[in-house]
Amino acid sequence: MTFKIVVCIKQVPDTTDIRWTEHNTIQRDGLDSVINPYDIGAINLANYIKSLNREVQIIVVTMGPFQAQDALREALAMGCDEAYLLSDKKFSGADTLATAYTLSQFIKNIVPDFKLVICGQQAVDGDTAQTPSSLAEKLGIAQATNITELINLSNDCVILKKETQFCSQEIKLPLPSLVACSCNNIEINPDINSYIRSQKSRIKILNAEELSVSEDNIGLKGSPTQVKKAYRPVITRTTELLEEASSETYADFILSEINKCKADNG
Ligand code: FAD
């Protein structure tokens, strides 16, 4: 039986090029959009599973505007087999709860026989890291977050490596389950043929009606959280760089800074 993996990706502004409006919102006009870096890690994990001699199908999905098709085409070039865009004016303004609900309706209706859902750990624009856990809850399946590696996979369970602030853990999950992947430093460079194939592939676009969603649970209406303001924190600390100094100079500098702190704190 085909082992079906659903990979959830989000298209985000390219964070190396972020600008802010005078109202402290993200200036999206003229900004490049990219696949959320953690989601590339998710695609990579799915590709790794595919490489384990299994009959694997990778279904990639995103909820967003029509331009998010670009992200899906890139994901197809990177090795995903089928792509779905959940797009409807009614989905706009969704917070993490409404996003998770919409994604869960997609999975329940279109891929009910999935084995694994793989998400990125967090999106670099919203950055809440809430969507994967909410999605697992709505699907009624087990979940593991901050996953960096797959250790073993069988037909009914998966063993994964999880990084916490203090240690690494091995987590065993029954299948089906959800994994949130925190490896964001992986680049996938598809070859030209994969790109050409992906440009010719059909992306299936689904609206609210086709997902049998309850309109009270989607978009702005289904979102208890609303972002009133986003701003850059003002960083007041200063940095002094000591270049190519001797160990004695470093030590003297540190000592004088400690003494200054002591004097400042009375
Ligand atoms: P995260 O939960 O960080 O994303 C984790 C993973 O979930 C992603 O890597 C991806 O795999 C998957 N995923 C996320 N979104 C999608 C999608 N549209 N399609 C497919 N997969 C997806 N919403 C809140 O509820 N609470 C907040 O505090 C909040 N703060 C925000 C702050 C800012 C600056 C912005 C721009 C948005 C904020 N939002 C918030 C809205 C939030 O961005 C959206 O709800 C978004 O759809 C999902 O949340 P996220 O971006 O935090 O994703």
Side-chain angles (χ1 to χ4, degrees):
M1 205 170 110
T2 306
F3 188 97
K4 291 192 183 175
I5 303 175
V6 178
V7 178
C8 301
I9 66 168
K10 186 179 180 189
Q11 195 182 42
V12 296
D14 189 340
T15 48
T16 57
D17 190 24
I18 264 194
R19 274 158 284 170
W20 297 76
T21 66
E22 55 183 303
H23 307 295
N24 291 319
T25 54
I26 293 174
Q27 169 86 60
R28 290 181 191 264
D29 291 349
L31 258 191
D32 282 343
S33 292
V34 293
I35 297 181
N36 177 41
Y38 289 97
D39 302 349
I40 307 241
I43 294 171
N44 216 35
L45 187 62
N47 278 338
Y48 174 66
I49 295 172
K50 207 182 199 179
S51 73
L52 301 173
N53 291 328
R54 283 172 169 268
E55 200 191 316
V56 170
Q57 188 185 15
I58 306 173
I59 298 127
V60 63
V61 60
T62 192
M63 182 186 85
F66 278 129
Q67 72 171 57
Q69 286 182 80
D70 295 344
L72 291 171
R73 287 204 190 284
E74 215 176 322
L76 288 171
M78 289 175 181
C80 297
D81 300 301
E82 224 178 296
Y84 288 86
L85 172 66
L86 316 184
S87 202
D88 195 310
K89 277 210 170 99
K90 292 175 188 161
F91 295 151
S92 65
D95 69 359
T96 54
L97 195 67
T99 302
Y101 170 71
T102 309
L103 291 172
S104 75
Q105 284 298 107
F106 163 76
I107 294 171
K108 284 178 189 171
N109 282 288
I110 309 294
V111 205
D113 52 345
F114 74 97
K115 281 285 195 182
L116 207 53
V117 178
I118 310 182
C119 295
Q121 176 62 26
Q122 65 211 65
V124 295
D125 56 350
D127 228 0
T128 63
Q130 293 166 0
T131 309
S133 299
S134 302
L135 176 56
E137 184 63 28
K138 299 225 171 280
L139 293 171
I141 55 173
Q143 55 165 304
T145 55
N146 277 312
I147 294 304
T148 54
E149 210 180 302
L150 183 138
I151 295 170
N152 205 354
L153 179 71
S154 67
N155 273 337
D156 51 14
C157 77
V158 59
I159 300 174
L160 303 143
K161 186 170 168 194
K162 175 185 169 94
E163 291 297 340
T164 75
Q165 198 181 345
F166 306 105
C167 63
S168 299
Q169 297 172 337
E170 275 190 29
I171 306 265
K172 185 174 175 183
L173 292 179
L175 295 179
S177 57
L178 180 143
V179 170
C181 207
S182 63
C183 4
N184 72 345
N185 55 352
I186 306 154
E187 274 192 36
I188 307 175
N189 294 314
D191 59 36
I192 185 76
N193 289 330
S194 308
Y195 259 115
I196 293 170
R197 233 186 352 262
S198 75
Q199 294 305 314
K200 289 183 184 159
S201 305
R202 195 170 80 86
I203 290 174
K204 292 159 201 133
I205 302 176
L206 299 173
N207 61 24
E209 203 177 288
E210 287 162 306
L211 294 178
S212 321
V213 291
S214 141
E215 294 209 0
D216 288 340
N217 295 334
I218 57 171
L220 211 49
K221 207 170 167 195
S223 299
T225 315
Q226 278 154 38
V227 181
K228 287 202 166 162
K229 183 179 170 188
Y231 61 95
R232 279 190 184 191
V234 180
I235 297 170
T236 51
R237 64 176 184 268
T238 52
T239 306
E240 201 166 324
L241 199 61
L242 295 186
E243 275 180 294
E244 295 179 27
S246 66
S247 309
E248 285 79 10
T249 312
Y250 290 138
D252 285 347
F253 177 76
I254 292 168
L255 194 62
S256 77
E257 289 300 307
I258 292 172
N259 286 336
K260 257 195 248 166
C261 283
K262 273 188 185 165
D264 288 349
N265 294 326

